[in-house]
């Protein structure tokens, strides 16, 4: 007896039900086992075509989707727009329709404009997966974060999380807030006032502008990267000052619980938002997150493309 | 298992009761020992999910007979099925757990019902991706006929000719609270 995700696309965690989230996490458990085999191959998506359409640079997410697709025998094509006709001025719509004419089964898109995946989803028959759209959502990141926490702690409900950093520009924070609250977790956000959205508390999160009270008695601390390429200036005086006030180092960790878990979506700025000792320390789940990213993306690809669940 | 929703089916007949299942497992265990001249290098791999329960029961019997613990693994064939996309709903993928190498081993696949043979085909493909067994044998509790592939069982609990409209349902204490095997048919309205 199965259920499947009764949807064509995965655009965000905001409209996922707790049951759907649970299904994706449970499926990822089975997928993770494949990574431990000698022959990392199952025939499930044989003959399916997956196109990774990345308008923004990425190491983790794109490689993760590529490996996930290939381990399931799909044909994966990577388009990084810096070397495509987009530099000639081709619009998103035309790019989408061009790809549609080649009959992909799944298009994974990362774009700097919020809503771009939704536009593509309306245009294409293929399943569209949002790999990050502007500051809006990054659903597979939130799902792999939940998976990592659940794997370590056994459960999700009742856990307290503090997300620290540039909340204003963070799609990872948003997707995590929606997903975590659905699974019964309590979320706090923390950052300099210049990087905290004005009505943040309306999302049901506690807002802190100092890190020490934010991380006291939480079970998980999630650090966000200071996005050097996003801001010209004016949001913080210097990296050094940011690090001094909001960086996570061993000293600051003394304010937190003994067994607190440390997470970071990557890539980390060593010595800025997180010190090397904390990033490489025993309670850091940063590399677990990366490993689980492949399993979660395999689960999402399987649930959307492994069968004609919703498309017809 | 293929077929319509359970609620529109009614029980036509019971073909094995608890005692019948136990006897079948005992006989299958003895046949495995006989065919393989003992249980050296024999491993049991059950197909999720009731095949796993049956494999554990066979392993218990084998230990009684030969005094040796035979390793038992659980195989989920969902990712190897040839009918993904045909079913209305998607099967839930469960974990494959085979905590031992199968290279050069005599693998006895265990399933509850043998019907078209496609599950067995998927199981063999999955096993080949996990290693190179010396040989593969198939043990099933019920063989209901209607093979669609050239596959046969080495050990059979009960042969039961059925029609396509019928469904064979195996219920086991571990999962269903009771031990019986029944034939279901479409409910006449």
């Amino acid at each position: 007896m199965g259920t499947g995700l009764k949807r064509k696309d995965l655009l965000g965690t905001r409209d996922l039900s707790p049951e759907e989230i649970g299904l994706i996490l449970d499926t990822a458990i089975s997928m993770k086992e494949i990574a431990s085999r000698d022959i990392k191959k199952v025939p499930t998506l044989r003959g399916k075509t997956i196109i990774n359409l990345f308008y923004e640079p990425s190491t983790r997410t794109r490689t993760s989707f590529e490996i996930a697709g290939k381990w399931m025998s799909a044909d994966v094509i990577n388009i990084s727009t810096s070397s495509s006709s987009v530099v000639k001025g081709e619009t998103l719509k035309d790019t989408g329709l061009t790809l549609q004419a080649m009959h992909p089964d799944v298009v994974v898109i990362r774009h700097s404009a919020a809503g771009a995946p939704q536009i593509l989803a309306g245009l294409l028959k293929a399943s569209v997966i949002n790999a990050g759209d502007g500051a809006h959502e990054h659903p597979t990141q939130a799902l792999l974060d939940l998976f990592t926490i659940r794997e370590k702690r056994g459960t999700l409900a009742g856990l307290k999380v503090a997300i620290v950093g540039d909340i204003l520009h963070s799609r990872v924070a948003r997707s995590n807030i929606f997903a975590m609250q659905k699974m019964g977790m309590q979320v706090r956000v923390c950052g300099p006032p210049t990087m905290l959205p004005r009505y943040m508390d309306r999302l049901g999160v506690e807002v802190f502008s100092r890190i020490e009270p934010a991380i006291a008695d939480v079970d998980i601390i999630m650090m966000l990267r200071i996005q050097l390429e996003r801001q010209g200036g004016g949001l913080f005086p210097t990296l050094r000052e940011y690090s001094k006030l909001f960086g996570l180092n061993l000293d600051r960790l003394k304010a937190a619980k003994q067994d607190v878990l440390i997470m970071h979506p990557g890539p980390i700025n060593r010595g800025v938002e997180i010190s090397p000792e904390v990033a490489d320390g025993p309670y850091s789940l940063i590399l677990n997150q990366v490993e689980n990213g492949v399993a979660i993306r395999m689960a999402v690809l399987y649930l959307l493309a492994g069968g004609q669940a919703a498309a017809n | 298992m293929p077929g319509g929703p359970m609620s529109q089916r009614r029980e036509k007949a019971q073909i094995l009761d608890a005692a019948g299942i136990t006897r079948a497992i005992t006989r299958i265990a003895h046949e495995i020992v006989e065919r393989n001249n003992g249980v050296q290098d024999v491993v049991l791999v059950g197909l999720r999910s009731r095949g796993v329960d049956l494999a554990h029961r066979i392993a218990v019997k084998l230990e009684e007979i030969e005094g040796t613990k035979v390793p038992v693994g659980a195989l989920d064939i969902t990712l190897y099925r040839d009918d993904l996309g045909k079913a209305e709903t998607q099967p839930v993928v469960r974990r494959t757990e085979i905590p031992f190498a199968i290279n050069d081993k005599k693998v006895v696949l265990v399933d509850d019902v043998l019907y078209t043979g496609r599950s067995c085909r998927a199981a063999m493909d999955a096993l080949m991706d996990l290693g190179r067994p010396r040989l593969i044998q198939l043990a099933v509790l019920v063989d209901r006929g209607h093979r669609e592939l050239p596959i046969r069982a080495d050990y059979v609990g009960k042969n039961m000719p059925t029609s396509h409209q019928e469904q064979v349902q195996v219920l086991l204490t571990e999962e269903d609270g009771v031990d019986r095997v029944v034939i279901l048919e479409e409910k006449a309205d």
Side-chain angles (χ1 to χ4, degrees):
Chain A
M1 243 24 62
T3 43
L5 287 177
K6 300 219 184 332
R7 50 175 70 233
K8 176 171 87 78
D9 316 290
L10 178 64
L11 301 176
T13 53
R14 193 173 205 169
D15 61 349
L16 284 180
S17 71
E19 291 73 37
E20 286 176 301
I21 293 176
L23 175 62
I24 295 171
L25 299 187
D26 290 340
T27 306
I29 299 176
S30 314
M31 297 302 185
K32 193 167 175 178
E33 178 265 321
I34 296 168
S36 60
R37 300 184 186 182
D38 269 342
I39 298 183
K40 300 177 197 21
K41 201 69 139 177
V42 290
T44 319
L45 295 184
R46 198 175 85 96
K48 304 281 184 184
T49 301
I50 300 171
I51 299 186
N52 283 332
L53 182 60
F54 276 61
Y55 281 77
E56 284 182 335
S58 165
T59 307
R60 270 152 214 74
T61 309
R62 205 181 83 167
T63 309
S64 200
F65 269 111
E66 186 175 353
I67 290 180
K70 287 186 167 160
W71 281 0
M72 302 215 286
S73 304
D75 293 314
V76 180
I77 285 91
N78 290 311
I79 302 181
S80 80
T81 52
S82 52
S83 51
S84 78
S85 290
V86 169
V87 305
K88 302 182 201 165
E90 189 170 29
T91 64
L92 174 64
K93 178 176 176 180
D94 282 319
T95 304
L97 292 175
T98 303
L99 295 178
Q100 173 65 51
M102 296 192 258
H103 307 290
D105 299 281
V106 182
V107 175
V108 180
I109 174 172
R110 170 171 282 194
H111 198 284
S112 58
Q118 188 165 359
I119 291 181
L120 221 53
L123 279 176
L124 304 185
K125 293 202 200 80
S127 289
V128 173
I129 299 179
N130 180 5
D133 61 335
H136 179 226
E137 287 240 34
H138 190 357
T140 55
Q141 180 69 42
L143 290 165
L144 74 88
D145 289 336
L146 285 185
F147 183 82
T148 306
I149 296 168
R150 196 177 79 165
E151 195 181 38
K152 208 57 178 184
R153 277 296 153 90
T155 181
L156 290 173
L159 292 179
K160 288 210 204 73
V161 184
I163 305 180
V164 182
D166 181 0
I167 308 291
L168 180 61
H169 294 104
S170 174
R171 53 193 173 213
V172 172
R174 285 175 62 96
S175 287
N176 265 302
I177 289 169
F178 299 134
M180 287 173 173
Q181 289 176 330
K182 276 189 227 264
M183 304 310 276
M185 296 165 78
Q186 270 182 60
V187 186
R188 304 175 176 179
V189 297
C190 170
T194 47
M195 301 204 269
L196 287 174
R198 204 159 173 209
Y199 300 108
M200 198 66 202
D201 54 314
R202 296 218 188 143
L203 285 186
V205 301
E206 262 187 285
V207 185
F208 294 79
S209 52
R210 286 183 57 240
I211 190 175
E212 286 84 0
I215 63 174
D217 68 51
V218 293
D219 302 288
I220 295 125
I221 303 173
M222 187 178 289
M223 301 305 294
L224 300 177
R225 182 174 61 101
I226 282 294
Q227 294 161 342
L228 303 168
E229 79 276 9
R230 277 201 200 287
Q231 45 247 32
L235 290 172
F236 52 85
T238 58
L239 282 182
R240 194 166 141 249
E241 176 134 354
Y242 178 84
S243 183
K244 221 167 118 182
L245 293 175
F246 290 94
L248 192 65
N249 48 45
L250 286 178
D251 220 38
R252 208 150 248 157
L253 265 189
K254 294 188 188 139
K257 274 164 111 170
Q258 272 278 61
D259 58 348
V260 73
L261 299 171
I262 314 292
M263 299 176 70
H264 191 304
I268 59 179
N269 291 319
R270 280 173 181 269
V272 179
E273 72 265 0
I274 188 168
S275 75
E277 300 78 35
V278 174
D280 302 330
Y283 291 105
S284 163
L285 297 180
I286 296 176
L287 294 176
N288 302 57
Q289 286 171 273
V290 177
E291 183 182 2
N292 293 332
V294 179
I296 280 286
R297 285 160 184 135
M298 287 175 78
V300 170
L301 287 172
Y302 167 71
L303 289 167
L304 290 179
Q308 259 91 65
N312 296 329
Chain B
M1 301 291 117
M6 290 295 183
S7 53
Q8 287 164 254
R9 300 180 154 251
R10 70 170 190 94
E11 191 177 306
K12 182 180 172 191
Q14 176 176 283
I15 57 177
L16 280 177
D17 60 7
I21 292 178
T22 307
R23 285 183 208 118
I25 293 196
T26 304
R27 177 173 50 78
I28 288 174
H30 279 283
E31 286 180 355
I32 291 175
V33 172
E34 187 182 19
R35 187 88 57 96
N36 294 296
N37 287 317
V39 292
Q40 176 84 357
D41 292 332
V42 170
V43 300
L44 299 171
V45 174
L47 268 57
R48 285 211 187 274
S49 52
R50 287 179 184 76
V52 181
D53 303 318
L54 291 169
H56 279 294
R57 293 193 194 192
I58 295 174
V60 168
K61 263 292 155 218
L62 288 174
E63 192 176 359
E64 276 174 35
I65 302 168
E66 290 283 297
T68 319
K69 264 199 177 16
V70 171
V72 179
L75 182 62
D76 184 90
I77 58 164
T78 312
L79 299 176
Y80 288 82
R81 292 174 67 122
D82 63 7
D83 61 350
L84 287 173
K86 304 282 188 312
E88 266 170 22
T89 59
Q90 228 166 2
V92 177
V93 189
R94 279 173 280 221
R95 230 188 106 102
T96 288
E97 286 173 86
I98 303 183
F100 45 83
I102 60 169
N103 292 323
D104 209 36
K105 292 279 194 277
K106 303 179 183 178
V107 176
V108 179
L109 282 174
V110 184
D111 203 1
D112 54 350
V113 180
L114 176 57
Y115 181 29
T116 60
R118 291 177 192 271
S119 293
C120 181
R121 195 277 318 156
M124 286 197 283
D125 279 355
L127 280 182
M128 293 307 179
D129 276 351
L130 295 170
R132 188 178 189 277
R134 195 186 316 171
L135 54 82
I136 299 176
Q137 294 168 348
L138 176 64
V140 296
L141 188 60
V142 177
D143 179 346
R144 65 172 287 202
H146 298 294
R147 216 73 72 238
E148 290 172 6
L149 298 174
I151 283 177
R152 52 121 186 86
D154 298 277
Y155 313 101
V156 181
K158 190 170 179 81
N159 276 299
M160 193 70 225
T162 56
S163 80
H164 279 296
Q165 282 70 44
E166 291 166 340
Q167 191 171 339
V168 174
Q169 192 180 29
V170 171
L171 300 154
L172 298 175
T173 327
E174 293 92 326
E175 257 173 83
D176 313 290
V178 70
D179 267 4
R180 50 202 297 257
V181 181
V182 297
I183 296 185
L184 304 173
E185 63 175 3
E186 298 287 349
K187 214 189 288 201
D189 281 323

